[in-house]
Amino acid sequence: MPGLAVASVILLTAASCALLFSAASQGEVARYDDAFHTVYRQLGQAAAGLIVLALLALLPVRRLRKLAPWGVAGGLLMAVLPFVPALGIRSGGAVRQFSLGALRWEPGQILVVTLLVWTASVLVRRPLGQVRRFVSVGIVAAGLLISMLQPDFSLLPLILVPVAMQAWLSGVRGRRALQLVIAVTVVVVGAAVVNPYIGRRVDGWMRPQATAHEAGRDYVLLQRGVSSAGALGAGYGKGRHVVRTGEAKSDYLFAHAVEELGFLRAFGLLMLYLPVLLLGIRAVFVRGPTFAGLVGVGMAGYILTAVGVHAAVNLRLVPVTAIHLPFLSFGGASLVASMAALGLLIAVNREPEAKPSAAKVESGVPLPAR
């Protein structure tokens, strides 16, 4: 299974290069006089990501428990750098990246991976004490706050969905789970109402034709590209609508694939994520509510949530969130973070199965008295 997952990533990387060339080559010729500029950068980032994947896949997962607090602290520190005036880069009203010389980085994705490892280390210790519960909620809230300050909510589903999956696996149920859902919903809806940037995006999504000259422009182009695709698409290199958004290589890569390749081949690409789903299911049923199991379900949830939200945005089912398609979209931080998540998921499935008694101790379940 891990070998199949790595093979799928290699196939996705090859497909990524082909789609990125189709989406960006004309603009790259005009800007850099090199049609392969984006492809070369993607290959370099993929190579770095594969190295990270290999290193983490060989790492004993249990060692991460002691490193988890330091990891999430580093992730939070990096995530606030885009808000430093001298470093932050504003793009389209959102603040997600920072620049240090030639380095231009989007640290939010790294924060999500480190946060999910940390939440796994917390949830495995049951029951939670009052202090630990307060600290845990505070750190997760800090990640959500950074997402809402960006303010395009690109991190919000990538944090909420995997953390909810981890909480469910660890046994969080009933009234506490409902209270958490209600609190998060109120905060998110309230932020969307009071933030004009979010309001414009939602308005553009709901009324694309009426706002086609402003926020609804991308939605109109997405709708035209997808609706004209059919089963087999317009043909490779013949897309005319999605490329006009300027984000076909990143935020709208799936819509670009649908327009040029058609629904059949585009959804065939999504089947390459099946090994990630299978590894996540195996982590749930084999590892259970242990630290390794919670890390596994968190990493699988992170990758598959990104796939689902990206596809939903590109099919105009939800407003734009700027979430990239893992292993396919152009973007160094999201690509490396996806590779790291898959490496940890493989490491979880490579670890020797814990003995029943050890699994119960680690998950916080007391052993029966002898």
Side-chain angles (χ1 to χ4, degrees), residues 241-290:
H241 300 293
V242 181
V243 292
R244 290 168 53 196
T245 64
E247 301 294 340
K249 66 180 183 180
S250 54
D251 296 355
Y252 307 137
L253 188 68
F254 183 68
H256 176 69
V258 170
E259 182 180 5
E260 294 200 343
L261 305 180
F263 279 96
L264 291 180
R265 285 177 284 199
F267 279 97
L269 282 176
L270 297 185
M271 292 299 101
L272 293 175
Y273 294 99
L274 185 59
V276 176
L277 175 62
L278 296 177
L279 286 174
I281 292 174
R282 187 175 186 275
V284 171
F285 285 99
V286 175
R287 307 300 174 189
T290 63

Side-chain angles (χ1 to χ4, degrees), residues 40 72 89 122 136 151 166 229 250 295 325 352:
Y40 290 149
V72 74
I89 301 173
V122 171
S136 304
Q166 289 178 325
S250 54
V295 169
L325 190 57

Side-chain angles (χ1 to χ4, degrees), residues 183-195:
V184 169
T185 302
V186 170
V187 171
V188 172
V189 173
V193 170
V194 301
N195 193 308

Side-chain angles (χ1 to χ4, degrees), residues 1-3 6 53-61 279 282-283 286-287 292 342-353:
M1 189 70 69
V6 173
L53 186 156
L55 292 175
L56 292 178
L58 298 174
L59 184 70
V61 177
L279 286 174
R282 187 175 186 275
V286 175
R287 307 300 174 189
L342 182 58
L344 291 174
L345 183 57
I346 291 174
V348 166
N349 283 273
R350 287 184 64 256
E351 278 212 337
E353 295 187 23

Side-chain angles (χ1 to χ4, degrees), residues 26 38 51 103 119 177 195 208 220 311 316 318 322 326 329:
Q26 293 183 3
T38 297
I51 294 174
L103 175 65
T119 52
N195 193 308
V220 171
R316 219 173 67 77
V318 296
S329 290

Side-chain angles (χ1 to χ4, degrees), residues 159-323:
I159 294 174
L160 287 179
V161 176
V163 168
M165 295 169 66
Q166 289 178 325
W168 177 85
L169 182 61
S170 67
V172 176
R173 302 283 196 281
R175 186 176 61 183
R176 289 182 179 176
L178 181 61
Q179 290 172 346
L180 181 61
V181 170
I182 293 174
V184 169
T185 302
V186 170
V187 171
V188 172
V189 173
V193 170
V194 301
N195 193 308
Y197 178 77
I198 298 297
R200 287 195 299 270
R201 281 200 164 187
V202 174
D203 186 46
W205 172 63
M206 296 180 66
R207 303 185 306 124
Q209 299 295 338
T211 60
H213 61 290
E214 296 177 347
R217 176 180 178 273
D218 285 0
Y219 296 109
V220 171
L221 292 172
L222 288 175
Q223 185 174 2
R224 290 175 180 173
V226 170
S227 62
S228 65
L232 300 178
Y236 179 74
K238 296 181 180 179
R240 294 293 177 266
H241 300 293
V242 181
V243 292
R244 290 168 53 196
T245 64
E247 301 294 340
K249 66 180 183 180
S250 54
D251 296 355
Y252 307 137
L253 188 68
F254 183 68
H256 176 69
V258 170
E259 182 180 5
E260 294 200 343
L261 305 180
F263 279 96
L264 291 180
R265 285 177 284 199
F267 279 97
L269 282 176
L270 297 185
M271 292 299 101
L272 293 175
Y273 294 99
L274 185 59
V276 176
L277 175 62
L278 296 177
L279 286 174
I281 292 174
R282 187 175 186 275
V284 171
F285 285 99
V286 175
R287 307 300 174 189
T290 63
F291 174 68
L294 294 176
V295 169
V297 75
M299 296 304 110
Y302 164 70
I303 295 173
L304 296 176
T305 299
V307 173
V309 175
H310 180 95
V313 166
N314 282 241
L315 297 177
R316 219 173 67 77
L317 300 177
V318 296
V320 171
T321 59
I323 291 178

